[in-house]
Amino acid sequence: MNFIRSLLHMLWMIITVIPWALLVVIVAPFASQKLVYKLCSGWLRHAVNSGQLILGIRNRVTGFENLPKGERDPAVLLVKHQSTWETFTMVAIMPHPLAFVFKKELLYIPFFGWAMGRLDMIHIDRSRRTEAFTRVVQQGRELLAKGVWVIMFPEGTRIPRGEKGRYQSGGARLAIECGAPVIPVAVTSAKCWPRKAFIKKPGIVDISIGPAIPSKGRKPTELMREAEEWIEAEMVRLDPEAYPSGQAKLYTKAKPE
């Protein structure tokens, strides 16, 4: 049954992404970024809704009270990355427009990448690290000033369930440069949508939004370490079956009070 569900969902995504992407590509040169984002976020919400209907995946979100309240209040979201699911979901649930920081190779994905290229996102060349970070800061500052929140996956890639990648300090550096708080987010999507897996399983994905961490006067490594400790401790709390007891003990102790 899960195979059939997964196949139907994949086919539905393919069928819907083509006309959506073509519409975005055609409309983008003549439309405002607000309208283009609305079109793109609409399809991503559709992706989440179809995942709920066809795959049986449900989101359980906590911590909305930790998000900045003002229309122009900035935020840098640092999100645990286990699957494609949170890429769709974060846009669907957040009260502000989001700008992802992602590698430029994603722009070449047929249809989906073409549409994403029409948005004010921050796409970087990872082979040119200094130039890439300068671009992130420059664009990030402009977007944050408009009330667009920047979202980054600090581990850089999708991480298997129960594992931890190497956290990069780029998100913390951006937050410090722009004077924005860091918002850590834990996501247990791999319970239902494992990394690089075709077959998905029904279930609940927990999305926990942590307390804002001020960036003023902080060092990037220190700020990122605090975000990392919160995220990983929260992952253990939300999905204890995925972590060995020793690792659970480590991150439970590391979690800030």
Side-chain angles (χ1 to χ4, degrees), residues 3 83 86 158 167 200 217 232:
F3 175 82
S83 77
E86 55 268 15
R158 291 168 292 176
Y167 279 66
K200 289 81 176 178
E232 293 301 325

Side-chain angles (χ1 to χ4, degrees), residues 8-205:
L8 288 174
H9 184 254
M10 183 190 71
L11 292 174
W12 183 249
M13 295 286 282
I14 292 173
I15 290 170
T16 58
V17 76
I18 294 174
W20 159 74
L22 292 176
L23 175 63
V24 170
V25 170
I26 293 170
V27 169
F30 313 101
S32 66
Q33 269 297 305
K34 186 176 181 180
L35 176 58
V36 175
Y37 186 86
K38 186 176 181 180
L39 289 172
C40 291
S41 62
W43 184 83
L44 293 173
R45 288 187 178 91
H46 158 80
V48 173
N49 292 336
S50 66
Q52 293 176 343
L53 181 64
I54 300 173
L55 298 173
I57 299 176
R58 300 285 186 272
N59 287 325
R60 180 165 57 198
V61 187
T62 57
F64 274 123
E65 69 276 8
N66 293 321
L67 294 172
K69 301 300 189 293
E71 185 178 345
R72 297 279 180 169
D73 287 352
V76 175
L77 307 179
L78 300 182
V79 183
K80 183 72 177 181
H81 196 17
Q82 291 190 325
S83 77
T84 305
W85 183 252
E86 55 268 15
T87 308
F88 300 154
T89 296
M90 294 305 293
V91 172
I93 67 173
M94 284 295 157
H96 278 236
L98 300 182
F100 285 81
V101 178
F102 61 91
K103 58 185 180 182
K104 68 176 185 178
E105 288 80 4
L106 295 181
L107 296 173
Y108 307 134
I109 297 175
F111 300 106
F112 182 82
W114 304 343
M116 294 296 287
R118 269 59 182 183
L119 286 166
D120 271 342
M121 300 286 177
I122 307 174
H123 38 90
I124 59 174
D125 184 347
R126 287 184 173 179
S127 65
R128 301 181 177 180
R129 291 187 177 275
T130 302
E131 180 182 314
F133 182 68
T134 300
R135 180 184 179 88
V136 169
V137 172
Q138 180 182 357
Q139 284 190 257
R141 183 177 283 115
E142 294 173 0
L143 291 165
L144 289 167
K146 297 176 184 177
V148 177
W149 291 348
V150 177
I151 178 170
M152 300 180 72
F153 299 118
E155 292 163 290
T157 188
R158 291 168 292 176
I159 303 298
R161 184 184 180 194
E163 296 185 17
K164 183 177 79 74
R166 183 173 178 270
Y167 279 66
Q168 307 291 330
S169 64
R173 292 166 64 195
L174 171 64
I176 292 168
E177 289 280 349
C178 299
V182 160
I183 310 293
V185 183
V187 182
T188 64
S189 57
K191 290 195 295 184
C192 301
W193 189 314
R195 175 177 176 262
K196 297 183 179 180
F198 173 76
I199 298 178
K200 289 81 176 178
K201 299 180 293 185
I204 295 175
V205 172

